[in-house]
Amino acid sequence: MKRSAKTQSLHELIEPAVAACGVVLWGIEFLPQGRRSLLRIYIDQPAGVAQAEGEEGGRGIGVEDCVRVTHQVSGVLDVHDPISGEYALEVSSPGWDRPFFELSQMAAYVDQRVALRVISPVAGRRKLEGTLQAVTAEGLVLLLDGQPQPIEADNIDKAHLVYQD
């Protein structure tokens, strides 16, 4: 799971601003779309932070957190101007079907279903869904059609958690 050079530079620029708001930067998606690009920022609560009483599910990211991060990050982007042209800024929690941006993020979701899109076909497919069995420094092991299937980290294009009721 590699970041593009643009995404990496945005991550380094934005991460301190997000941390100043008391949340962590889960990941960034930068989608150039012709004249108007999209910068989507996912935030999450730091590990070990308990949910506020009355909050349901998730890790407790609320609208107030998103607004606070939007203002903070907008200021940083206005000063450094790393994106040429017009762009829309979105800030949200990763949600129930959270996307993964780093292999290390997946370790907390062993024994849960994940969906992957791989660069080179695995078991004859580029889109995979199965139970995450293990995460290692080299990649992960996915239970696919009843068989453990190792998948190298460099072969993973996109990954996300599959919400199960």
Side-chain angles (χ1 to χ4, degrees):
M1 301 180 81
K2 291 176 72 173
R3 294 183 187 145
S4 70
K6 181 71 168 182
T7 304
Q8 181 62 34
S9 67
L10 286 168
H11 192 278
E12 291 168 4
L13 180 66
I14 292 169
E15 190 169 32
V18 172
C21 296
V23 295
V24 295
L25 180 58
W26 181 260
I28 293 175
E29 291 177 338
F30 178 67
L31 308 166
Q33 300 173 337
R35 292 177 36 141
R36 187 175 170 100
S37 300
L38 173 63
L39 176 60
R40 185 175 293 135
I41 300 172
Y42 295 98
I43 59 174
D44 205 358
Q45 289 291 345
V49 173
Q51 280 182 204
E53 192 172 317
E55 286 185 351
E56 294 181 25
R59 295 200 172 165
I61 290 295
V63 173
E64 302 82 18
D65 296 312
C66 294
V67 169
R68 197 169 47 252
V69 169
T70 298
H71 289 299
Q72 188 79 8
V73 168
S74 290
V76 169
L77 294 174
D78 287 346
V79 169
H80 294 279
D81 199 23
I83 302 171
S84 60
E86 293 182 33
Y87 65 93
L89 174 63
E90 288 182 8
V91 177
S92 74
S93 75
W96 292 104
D97 58 347
R98 62 183 49 227
F100 296 111
F101 296 91
E102 298 175 18
L103 206 55
S104 60
Q105 293 172 330
M106 298 176 84
Y109 298 92
V110 169
D111 293 329
Q112 294 191 40
R113 291 197 62 83
V114 296
L116 307 175
R117 187 172 73 194
V118 293
I119 298 164
S120 298
V122 172
R125 297 182 279 181
R126 289 195 59 222
K127 291 183 179 180
L128 311 168
E129 185 176 317
T131 302
L132 182 63
Q133 288 196 305
V135 178
T136 66
E138 297 80 35
L140 54 88
V141 178
L142 193 66
L143 187 61
L144 190 61
D145 301 326
Q147 299 294 320
Q149 179 68 55
I151 300 170
E152 294 179 16
D154 290 343
N155 193 27
I156 301 171
D157 183 34
K158 290 191 172 205
H160 69 88
L161 189 64
V162 175
Y163 174 70
Q164 294 180 316
D165 202 8

